Amino acid sequence: MKKVLLLMTFALLMSCMSNNALYESKKATVVRTYCDTAMGSGVHLGDGYVLSAAHVVHGDMKLFHRDEEINGKIIKIDKESDLVLIYFKDYDGPSVRLAREELRVGDSLYTITYHFGQLFTFAEGIKGSYQGWKVLPKTYTAIIQSNPGSSGGPVFNSMGYLVGIVNAKYQTLTYYTGIKTIREFLDE
């Protein structure tokens, strides 16, 4: 019995990435989005489709990746869930995989975002609650560092799957839209 328990524990630990491995394997999926009046982060879903936060979208969107500027077209936007899907015709960077389940309170989460639109910021935190902010009722609370430019950035679980999109910060808390809402948004 002890051997089985030990093997199961070892298998679980091996299924989670180290922080550095997660960062290195996912940073290329993160893009910087901007328009005339706002900037943020986004994550490439594949085939040129980028998911970001709706509140950073105003007019013509551009993607900046590897010192290259690419124009985009808004495909779908939902202000209630604060999500936007943008298509960048000439972008074919690496993409993420979507998680199947929401995180539970206390689960670890990770973000890779653009700090002030310039440099990657990697942060580790935990899911803090099953409810979010009154203004954004379809969000969850995370206890994690975020900065201007983090909005729209991906939230990953310890296995590197996308579990959310950063959408707000209030004092020491960060709010994100969870994977269930993201899947509903993409399936509509």
Side-chain angles (χ1 to χ4, degrees), residues 136-184:
L136 294 167
K138 292 186 174 185
T139 62
Y140 297 112
T141 304
I143 301 166
I144 194 166
Q145 173 189 348
S146 65
N147 304 294
S150 294
S151 291
V155 179
F156 296 106
N157 65 16
S158 60
M159 296 175 65
Y161 292 103
L162 182 72
V163 293
I165 294 292
V166 175
N167 53 27
K169 178 182 178 170
Y170 180 70
Q171 295 179 354
T172 60
L173 299 176
T174 298
Y175 298 92
Y176 71 95
T177 302
I179 193 63
K180 180 181 176 194
T181 302
I182 290 170
R183 284 185 172 278
E184 290 168 358

